[in-house]
Structures are given as C-alpha cells and as structure tokens.
Amino acid sequence: MKIFNTLTRKKEEFVPINPGEIKMYVCGPTVYNLIHIGNARPMIVFDTVRRYFEYKGYKVNYVSNFTDVDDKIIKRATEENVSSSEVSEKYIAEVKKDMASLNVREATTHPKATEEINGMIDMINTLIDAGFAYDVDGTVYYEAGKFKGYGKLSGKNIDELEAGHREIKVTGEEGKKHSSDFVLWKPKKEGEPSWKSPWCDGRPGWHIECSVMAKRYLGDEIDIHAGGVDLIFPHHENEIAQSEAANGKPFARYWMHNAFLNIDGEKMAKSAGNFLLVRDILKQYDPQVLRFFMLSAHYRSPLNFSEELMESSKNGLERILNSYDRLTEISYEGRPLNEEEQKIFDAINGYIERFEAAMDDDINTADAISVIFELIKLLNINVKDGVSDILGEKAIETLDTLLDLLGIKTVREKEILDEEIEKLIMERNEARKAKDFKKADEIRDKLQDMGISLLDTRDGVKWKRT
Ligand code: AMP
Ligand code: ZN
C-alpha cells in the first residue's frame, strides 16, 4: 500500500513501525464554534484512512485531540460572559454530534489539551535542559535554529524565514531572540485560564499540545501524523522540532495532509467568513451525501463546494443505494451457481480487487467510487429474481463492505428515523389510553425536539417534519 508522505514529497510503500499495528495522530479542531464543512474534510478523510487500514487487518490506535485552550475560545467566553471551559465543553459536545452524523467514528482517544498540562510542563523542561528552549520573564520560547532539521517538513529554510520576518513583531513575543522562535509557554493575562508552572502562571502554546498528546497516547515514534495542509507550517514543523529534540527519536514516519475545501475558489475558513456549517448543510442534505461528496475527490486535490456538485453526489449516492435496496428485495433461489452466475461472481471479485487497488494507491477514494458505480451497473443487469442466493449474498455483502469502507451506511438514516418516530408515537398513544398524560406530553416534547410535529386527527395521529 502506498501513501504520499509530505516529509519526503513522495508516494512511499507503507511500512508500520510494529507489524500489524498503526499509531495515528490527527490534529483536531479548536473548539469555540460549530465546525464548518472545511473542518469536516480531514475528519471524513482520515476516518476513511483508518477504516481502510482496519480492513487490511491493522489494529489502529487513532488519537485526535480537542484544542480547548486558545485565544479564540477565551474571546468567545468573554463575549458570552461564561468560562472558557463552558465554551469548550459545549463545542466538544457539538463537534461530537456532527462527527456522529457524518459517521466519523470516535477516536481511540480524544485527549483535551487542558487535561495534559503536566506533560507539557515536563516536555518544556526537557527542552530547556537540552538547550533548545529559553525563558524570558516567564515566556518560554523554542529556539528553532537550534534544531538541525528545522524546515524539513515544509521545505522552508531557517535563514530565509529569519530574513522574511525580521520586521514583523508579534505583541507579547518581544523577548524572543529570533523571529523564527516560537512560544512554548506564555504568562496569563487577567481573566484567562492558567496553570502553575516553573516559569509563571500561564498556559501552553498550541504546538506543544500535540507533541505531548501524541507522546502520551502513542509513544515517541508514531506511524502517521495527519491534518489539513495549512498545518504543515508552522504547526507540524514545530511539532517535529519539539518532539524530536525532546525524545531523541524520529517523530512521525508518514505525514498526510488533506487539501482545502474551497468555496468560489477560496479556502473555506472561519476568519474569511465564507464558511458553511455542517449543521446548515444537514438541514438540506442527508449527512451521507456530504460524506460522499467529500470522498468524491482525492484527499490531496482541492475540492470546490457547489450546489451542483452536492446535487450530483446526492444523485450518485441515491443510484448506489437504490441498487443496494433492490438487491435486498428480490427473491433468490437456494441453489449452487450456474455457469453464467459463476462468471458474475468472479467479476464481482475483480471489482473488489480494483477497489482495493485504488485505495492502495494513496487512498484514491475518487477512483474507488468509480469502481462502485461500475459494479452496480453489473449488478443491476445481472442479479435478478430467481438467481442463485449465493450470487445474491455475494452482491449484497460486497456492497456492504465497500460502502462501509467509505463510511456510507446502507440502511438509510431516514428509514431509521421514521421507525423511531413511529415507535414514539405508539408509546404516546398507549400513554394516553392509560391516561398517563404527563408521559404523553413528554413524548410529544421529545418529538418536537427532533423536529417532528404531531397532529391529532379523526384518523389517528399524523406527523410531519417541521
Ligand atoms: P482548525 O479548527 O482551524 O484548527 O481546523 C481543524 C482542522 O480542519 C485542521 O486539520 C485544518 O487543517 C482543517 N481545515 C480547516 N479549514 C479547512 C478547509 N477549508 N479545507 C480543509 N481542511 C480544513
Ligand atoms: Zn496538532
């Protein structure tokens, strides 16, 4: 299996550190707002990478953090007159809801930066003792020029960085020796969350958080480190400098970066104000459509969001799921395969191999999806009423497996929801019959929260989505 490694700028054969297991770290969101669909791209892409590795038989230890201490969180907390942790806890819960809608599986561990402060203090101490970091009146800086490999991931050269940044001064960072040095620890300001440390009451810089969480949950050397391309510099470059200087070992073997999700040709970003929330898209589309749309492009290709592309993803997915539904509804005969059916059976195996070949080639989900379209064409024509049940099972199982690798569910969300609603309505009817009006009202409220309004008619209870 080949993976494009940002570190070597080449597609390389993937070889894990320990046979059969993968240690993978994916930089997670800063939790001060609902996520936009740009943020959803790495979540969906790397969840799919994880699913594929598991399919190949690897045990994947998947760690993805929440950055829950940050200027933007503090700003939001001040605006809303609540504590920082109230803001971050609220949005961690909301991010998790969006991830679940998009069928992004929970990580093995979702560490939070604020719960890892001791590890950060330890690593900063190690870096100071080893001569890579220095303290100026409570602010601790990493001296980038001290790390020989600085720039190896982003291809930046430290002298050019120095030259380019000579004039730029960042407030609060006046004490640093070189413009390429970066903050590991900084003093608190009035009203900010802070922790005691040997240097001052303060809080960590962003980069040290990920180095420490990766070390704690995965170890000094990890297989894959991933995130969006915007993280290559400075975030990931700085993580390498910190981790390798502190641990004395190569940090991550493979660095994977997804390209941007754009809108009107520009990066979707909170700061640019051109973003669409996952929540907003889900008002209009089934979450699976968004997932399918994201995977319709290779993860290293920029993807432009548009209504047309979403509509075409919706139609494409509909075609696949209709084909799947039909396969589950037709009647099969319990008998061995005849010669013709054997050929179709073998052809299905050929499609599985092609799907795998696409995924083995740096997770090319775009090609893998084309293979699925070809497969359903074959199945639509050749798997009909009366064919052997062996062929029927093979067709259904294959679609189940391949779609699950993309995180697409074959049972429609809407159907699950419909069943759940019907069940609640029945419970409400029974409660009313038993004159338990309190319970009946509770169920009505619950349905209302789900966006369902009830209408008591002469023909019984009718419901509609509001
Ligand atoms: P942030 O909360 O901005 O730190 O972003 C969390 C993750 O989303 C990072 O891996 C970013 O690289 C990624 N990300 C942010 N915006 C986009 C975008 N428009 N397209 C793709 N990935 C993005
Ligand atoms: Zn990170």
Side-chain angles (χ1 to χ4, degrees):
M1 171 168 186
K2 287 200 158 59
I3 292 287
F4 182 88
N5 189 353
T6 310
L7 189 61
T8 57
R9 295 157 189 83
K10 281 200 294 267
K11 260 190 218 172
E12 289 175 13
E13 191 60 36
F14 177 78
V15 184
I17 298 168
N18 299 322
E21 63 180 68
I22 292 175
K23 294 178 269 189
M24 180 163 179
Y25 188 94
V26 182
C27 289
T30 306
V31 278
Y32 68 102
N33 206 340
L34 293 174
I35 55 165
H36 60 69
I37 56 176
N39 300 129
R41 190 170 190 194
M43 290 176 179
I44 293 172
V45 160
F46 298 115
D47 176 68
T48 306
V49 172
R50 173 195 194 177
R51 285 167 187 263
Y52 191 62
F53 274 120
E54 287 181 353
Y55 170 76
K56 300 279 265 187
Y58 291 101
K59 187 168 176 296
V60 183
N61 190 347
Y62 191 94
V63 176
S64 191
N65 66 295
F66 288 116
T67 296
D68 62 345
V69 53
D70 176 89
D71 289 342
K72 290 179 257 168
I73 301 174
I74 295 168
K75 184 164 171 270
R76 179 104 197 200
T78 314
E79 283 164 8
E80 294 183 3
N81 206 14
V82 294
S83 70
S84 266
S85 62
E86 274 171 273
V87 171
S88 57
E89 285 304 320
K90 172 177 166 193
Y91 288 107
I92 287 173
E94 297 298 336
V95 172
K96 285 190 171 175
K97 277 190 214 161
D98 285 341
M99 286 170 62
S101 311
L102 296 169
N103 204 14
V104 170
R105 286 167 46 202
E106 287 242 354
T108 316
T109 316
H110 276 296
K112 295 177 201 159
T114 55
E115 291 173 2
E116 307 292 338
I117 304 290
N118 288 341
M120 297 179 207
I121 292 173
D122 285 348
M123 192 179 277
I124 297 171
N125 263 327
T126 307
L127 289 170
I128 294 175
D129 290 348
F132 288 96
Y134 57 94
D135 166 12
V136 183
D137 303 329
T139 304
V140 183
Y141 297 98
Y142 186 102
E143 190 166 351
K146 285 273 171 79
F147 180 67
K148 264 217 312 281
Y150 197 80
K152 64 182 171 184
L153 181 71
S154 58
K156 290 188 193 293
N157 172 302
I158 192 124
D159 298 328
E160 284 166 16
L161 281 173
E162 287 296 324
H165 286 87
R166 205 165 287 148
E167 303 308 321
I168 302 170
K169 291 238 166 26
V170 179
T171 335
E173 296 188 10
E174 291 85 1
K176 64 185 181 183
K177 294 192 209 163
H178 318 276
S179 53
S180 56
D181 297 351
F182 57 90
V183 170
L184 297 174
W185 188 267
K186 59 183 162 193
K188 71 164 184 186
K189 294 198 199 106
E190 192 50 41
E192 287 184 356
S194 66
W195 292 264
K196 290 215 167 314
S197 83
W199 316 289
C200 65
D201 281 3
R203 60 187 168 101
W206 171 36
H207 317 300
I208 194 76
E209 298 174 4
C210 286
S211 280
V212 167
M213 291 185 268
K215 180 183 171 79
R216 165 130 190 233
Y217 296 98
L218 297 171
D220 291 351
E221 290 182 83
I222 72 175
D223 293 291
I224 299 175
H225 196 123
V229 270
D230 55 329
L231 300 187
I232 296 175
F233 188 85
H235 187 51
H236 289 164
E237 193 69 66
N238 292 353
E239 276 191 51
I240 294 177
Q242 296 163 157
S243 295
E244 298 195 352
N247 303 330
K249 289 185 189 144
F251 181 33
R253 290 209 178 172
Y254 302 86
W255 287 84
M256 296 179 79
H257 293 100
N258 65 275
F260 284 143
L261 178 77
N262 294 326
I263 186 158
D264 302 324
E266 288 195 27
K267 181 199 170 186
M268 184 175 290
K270 281 172 200 156
S271 53
N274 60 356
F275 60 89
L276 293 165
L277 298 176
V278 168
R279 271 319 139 83
D280 290 335
I281 296 295
L282 299 194
K283 283 187 194 142
Q284 205 181 337
Y285 292 99
D286 183 302
Q288 307 233 82
V289 174
L290 184 58
R291 182 156 183 139
F292 194 68
F293 160 78
M294 292 285 183
L295 297 177
S296 66
H298 185 258
Y299 74 92
R300 282 189 296 114
S301 306
L303 175 60
N304 205 48
F305 179 86
S306 69
E307 286 282 331
E308 291 93 286
L309 277 180
M310 281 296 282
E311 282 302 316
S312 106
S313 294
K314 182 178 164 193
N315 295 336
L317 184 61
E318 199 63 29
R319 242 166 49 226
I320 295 171
L321 294 179
N322 284 343
S323 170
Y324 178 87
D325 287 347
R326 191 191 63 88
L327 291 169
T328 60
E329 284 155 11
I330 59 184
S331 53
Y332 298 101
E333 274 178 25
R335 59 169 170 77
L337 298 170
N338 64 29
E339 210 175 303
E340 225 13 70
E341 290 165 350
Q342 182 66 52
K343 279 194 197 137
I344 307 300
F345 190 97
D346 296 341
I348 295 176
N349 280 335
Y351 283 107
I352 298 174
E353 279 167 24
R354 284 181 51 206
F355 181 97
E356 289 177 359
M359 295 295 276
D360 282 344
D361 182 15
D362 191 27
I363 313 287
N364 194 335
T365 52
D367 283 359
I369 287 175
S370 317
V371 174
I372 294 185
F373 279 121
E374 287 183 46
L375 171 63
I376 60 159
K377 237 186 249 167
L378 175 94
L379 302 177
N380 287 347
I381 297 171
N382 295 289
V383 181
K384 292 177 290 213
D385 268 337
V387 300
S388 154
D389 58 345
I390 299 172
L391 183 60
E393 259 170 44
K394 174 75 174 173
I396 293 169
E397 251 178 45
T398 302
L399 277 183
D400 264 330
T401 306
L402 302 188
L403 291 172
D404 185 54
L405 281 174
L406 301 176
I408 300 292
K409 295 180 199 158
T410 42
V411 180
R412 322 274 181 114
E413 264 321 76
K414 189 174 162 304
E415 284 167 20
I416 304 175
L417 201 60
D418 285 1
E419 273 171 32
E420 198 182 331
I421 291 162
E422 303 285 351
K423 207 173 127 233
L424 284 169
I425 291 174
M426 287 231 303
E427 277 174 33
R428 177 170 170 268
N429 288 345
E430 273 158 32
R432 290 213 301 183
K433 257 192 233 149
K435 303 229 178 311
D436 186 351
F437 297 112
K438 186 167 165 276
K439 184 170 177 199
D441 285 347
E442 275 169 14
I443 296 177
R444 175 189 280 269
D445 291 346
K446 184 170 174 189
L447 284 161
Q448 210 148 35
D449 288 346
M450 291 164 73
I452 304 298
S453 74
L454 298 181
L455 203 64
D456 293 310
T457 72
R458 260 186 304 175
D459 304 328
V461 181
K462 297 258 162 40
W463 62 271
K464 66 173 188 336
R465 291 195 161 79
T466 49

